[in-house]
Amino acid sequence: MKLELRNHDHRYVVEQSLLALFPEERPVYGTVAPGADRRWAIVTLKEEGDRCGVTTELCWDGRTAVFTQEAPLSGDDYAREGQRRRCMGLSFFHAAKDAAGISPPWGSLTGIRPAKVAAELFERGLSEEEVDRTLEEIYFVTPARRRLCIDAALTARRADQDLSERDISLYVGIPFCPTRCAYCSFVSNSVEKTFHLIEPYLEALHQEIDAAAALVRKLGLHVKSFYMGGGTPTTISAQQMDRLLAHLDEGFDLAAMDECTVEAGRPDTITKEKLLVLKNRGIRRISVNPQTMEDHVLRAIGRRHTAADIEKTMEIVDAVGFPHVNMDLIVGLPEDTAEGFCRSLRRVMDFGTDNLTIHTLSLKKGSRITLEGTRLPGVEEVGEMLDYANGALRAAHFSPYYLYRQKYQSGSFENVGWSKAGGEGLYNIYIMEELHSILSLGAGGSTKMVDRRRNHIERAFNLKYPQEYIQRPSKAAENLQAFEAFYQAMQQGR
């Protein structure tokens, strides 16, 4: 879609609206020529004093609509920026709805964290009923999505009550996998090609752990939760995992944390020996991620294991005994159907885990699916899968406790973490609702520094690939210096 921005350069906001409402479209910036372009939008911002107005003129295949959204501006710069963005999103949504006759499940809400909108409404003193009504009347969110949004916001509020200003979380990345899945765009390396890098990578990671642990002690911070992800952490051997967790325990004291999670991930990497290492080293939560229980779909996404292998793995997991186990499924995978997804969900629920995450496939640039043009379920079928999951999980006493959205998701839907009472993953809540800082170690790590008093967030990114992470330890050191400077500034500001 051709996009013309007048009196502003809020490209991110307009792109978020475009992708949420028209997931198949991609932005092309320039001067709109109404006679020549069939799909376009002109978004104009006007500000006078303490009021802003955004007018969107949008054309969809010959049908044109114009909508102006006005709003007062108040508060600090951060608050005013949020008000402008909201005004712009509503203007674009209404014009798109009128021109194209669409109203997606999330209405005008864009961005990664829809539960934050509900959380802000609760912070203003609105009741649950008032929040629901606002989501309906102002943002046009459907009943099922309003319920997801409110449930996740309420869970985040409860988690927030147990936090102190000195709490942070710790992430450690293991960017290796047995093979690369067809939908993957993460920084992960097939171990078949990079096996020789694992040992030097772990050595470099140990050094970063030492430096990070010393810094956390110096700043007087407390690690509330720990999460090891990837890639697939259980790609490394049991002995390597034991050394790594021992190193982490020496630096950070895993037993002092409220939650310790390792994303065991793919069943073809999980052995009883590795699970015993995790259990003995204090890991109390693991994630096993089959993504589907349909063998032909597993083949389509490049997995080498079968549904039977998943069942055998879960027998081992059950025998070792972890207090909390999560499993992941993905809605909208290539060659899957609504009936196939429903079978997968029922089979996964039979394992008796207390935590399930239902992802919607996101067609990321660089994934094999987008490059090869694999056949995918349509938007209506994806919606049918998600509706079935919502009803089946609620009937089994699961509740949504965190959610997020991504670019290029089929139907502009969502990813939802579901848990039984007491099974919520705290790390997921902390990072998604930005309740405190996340210190990230390892290749591809993204440290997020959160100062909630100033409504201020900064990020520091580690080098993406294992080879460059190993060769340039100075970048990890720079990130830790940025983390220290951020907390020193926080202390001075108080």
Side-chain angles (χ1 to χ4, degrees):
M1 177 181 279
K2 177 70 74 66
L3 297 175
E4 181 178 340
L5 309 183
R6 296 180 178 176
N7 302 330
H8 69 96
D9 192 28
H10 290 287
R11 292 193 176 199
Y12 178 78
V13 182
V14 177
E15 285 184 15
Q16 287 290 99
S17 296
L18 172 67
L19 294 173
L21 297 167
F22 305 107
E24 303 302 319
E25 292 292 309
R26 296 296 178 266
V28 177
Y29 290 94
T31 302
V32 168
D37 299 316
R38 290 188 55 80
R39 296 180 176 181
W40 51 266
I42 301 172
V43 184
T44 304
L45 172 66
K46 291 184 178 179
E47 289 192 32
E48 294 182 3
D50 289 333
R51 291 194 67 81
C52 82
V54 178
T55 299
T56 299
E57 183 180 1
L58 187 145
C59 180
W60 183 258
D61 292 342
R63 291 190 59 187
T64 303
V66 180
F67 192 91
T68 298
Q69 180 73 36
E70 296 184 342
L73 296 175
S74 62
D76 58 17
D77 291 343
Y78 178 86
R80 286 171 174 255
E81 183 64 16
Q83 291 151 11
R84 286 188 200 94
R85 291 161 64 99
R86 194 159 299 156
C87 198
M88 201 162 293
L90 285 169
S91 171
F92 195 98
F93 168 76
H94 282 286
K97 181 168 70 72
D98 294 343
I102 60 170
S103 187
W106 283 102
S108 68
L109 288 185
T110 61
I112 296 171
R113 301 172 176 85
K116 271 200 155 187
V117 176
E120 289 172 4
L121 294 171
F122 280 123
E123 287 294 323
R124 285 162 44 186
L126 274 66
S127 68
E128 190 171 322
E129 293 76 14
E130 290 169 328
V131 172
D132 182 78
R133 188 161 59 249
T134 301
L135 292 173
E136 177 185 16
E137 296 177 356
I138 302 298
Y139 297 101
F140 298 87
V141 182
T142 62
R145 268 69 200 181
R146 297 201 303 269
R147 190 66 257 166
L148 288 175
C149 196
I150 289 170
D151 286 344
L154 290 173
T155 303
R157 283 168 65 83
R158 290 192 293 270
D160 192 22
Q161 291 172 358
D162 193 38
L163 291 177
S164 77
E165 292 184 351
R166 311 308 297 170
D167 286 335
I168 65 169
S169 287
L170 176 69
Y171 176 87
V172 171
I174 306 295
F176 300 97
C177 283
T179 58
R180 190 175 179 87
C181 293
Y183 55 79
C184 184
S185 65
F186 287 117
V187 179
S188 60
N189 293 258
S190 168
V191 75
E192 295 169 327
K193 300 178 180 179
T194 57
F195 180 80
H196 65 286
L197 291 178
I198 292 181
E199 273 297 335
Y201 175 80
L202 292 176
E203 287 302 315
L205 182 58
H206 287 179
Q207 294 176 24
E208 190 183 12
I209 289 169
D210 289 340
L215 178 59
V216 167
R217 289 192 295 271
K218 176 182 177 181
L219 295 174
L221 302 177
H222 169 248
V223 179
K224 188 80 169 177
S225 70
F226 160 67
Y227 192 101
M228 185 186 295
T232 306
T234 44
T235 300
I236 67 177
S237 71
Q239 292 74 25
Q240 289 167 331
M241 180 67 77
D242 192 51
R243 290 202 310 272
L244 176 56
L245 289 174
H247 213 84
L248 282 161
D249 189 39
E250 182 178 333
F252 290 100
D253 189 4
L254 298 177
M257 303 179 191
D258 287 7
E259 179 181 275
C260 294
T261 304
V262 169
E263 192 174 302
R266 293 169 53 154
D268 48 342
T269 69
I270 299 172
T271 65
K272 186 173 184 179
E273 183 183 14
K274 292 179 185 179
L275 292 179
L276 287 172
V277 166
L278 299 181
K279 184 76 179 298
N280 293 335
R281 286 295 181 181
I283 302 304
R284 302 181 286 281
R285 177 185 294 269
I286 65 167
S287 182
V288 179
N289 306 332
Q291 316 303 20
T292 176
M293 296 293 287
E294 300 280 290
D295 284 338
H296 70 286
V297 181
L298 286 169
R299 288 192 295 272
I301 64 175
R303 292 289 185 101
R304 291 181 177 174
H305 61 82
T306 65
D309 294 330
I310 297 166
E311 291 176 346
K312 292 175 184 175
T313 296
M314 293 307 295
E315 289 177 2
I316 300 172
V317 169
D318 188 56
V320 172
F322 290 88
H324 303 289
V325 178
N326 172 74
M327 299 187 78
D328 282 11
L329 291 178
I330 298 179
V331 168
L333 287 172
E335 308 303 332
D336 206 358
T337 63
E339 294 79 9
F341 172 78
C342 294
R343 283 194 298 269
S344 291
L345 180 59
R346 288 193 294 268
R347 290 181 73 181
V348 165
M349 290 173 68
D350 286 342
F351 292 126
T353 61
D354 66 349
N355 200 296
L356 293 171
T357 306
I358 307 298
H359 296 274
T360 301
L361 181 66
S362 179
L363 296 176
K364 298 293 185 65
K365 297 176 183 178
S367 68
R368 189 155 53 83
I369 289 176
T370 58
L371 297 175
E372 296 180 358
T374 312
R375 189 199 71 80
L376 299 169
V379 171
E380 289 187 5
E381 197 168 14
V382 169
E384 186 179 340
M385 296 176 188
L386 290 169
D387 289 344
Y388 177 82
N390 194 325
L393 289 167
R394 288 189 186 277
H397 307 294
F398 284 82
S399 297
Y401 73 95
Y402 84 104
L403 70 98
Y404 66 102
R405 300 168 69 199
Q406 295 170 278
K407 285 185 178 180
Y408 315 122
Q409 280 190 300
S410 178
S412 191
F413 286 112
E414 68 280 330
N415 307 312
V416 183
W418 297 82
S419 72
K420 293 186 175 179
E424 299 84 358
L426 294 176
Y427 177 88
N428 293 325
I429 299 172
Y430 298 153
I431 189 170
M432 201 48 57
E433 301 309 317
E434 299 177 325
L435 298 183
H436 64 205
S437 296
I438 309 291
L439 178 58
S440 296
L441 312 180
S446 172
T447 289
K448 181 182 292 185
M449 296 163 275
V450 178
D451 184 346
R452 293 176 64 188
R453 289 200 178 195
R454 292 188 296 152
N455 286 321
H456 181 65
I457 293 176
E458 293 181 17
R459 291 172 174 82
F461 301 94
N462 260 351
L463 295 167
K464 284 187 175 182
Y465 301 104
Q467 184 74 60
E468 59 183 2
Y469 174 81
I470 294 165
Q471 293 175 344
R472 292 179 54 195
S474 59
K475 182 62 173 72
E478 288 173 13
N479 289 352
L480 291 178
Q481 290 169 3
F483 190 84
E484 180 176 11
F486 183 88
Y487 270 88
Q488 287 174 341
M490 280 178 61
Q491 292 169 351
Q492 292 170 1
R494 291 171 186 168

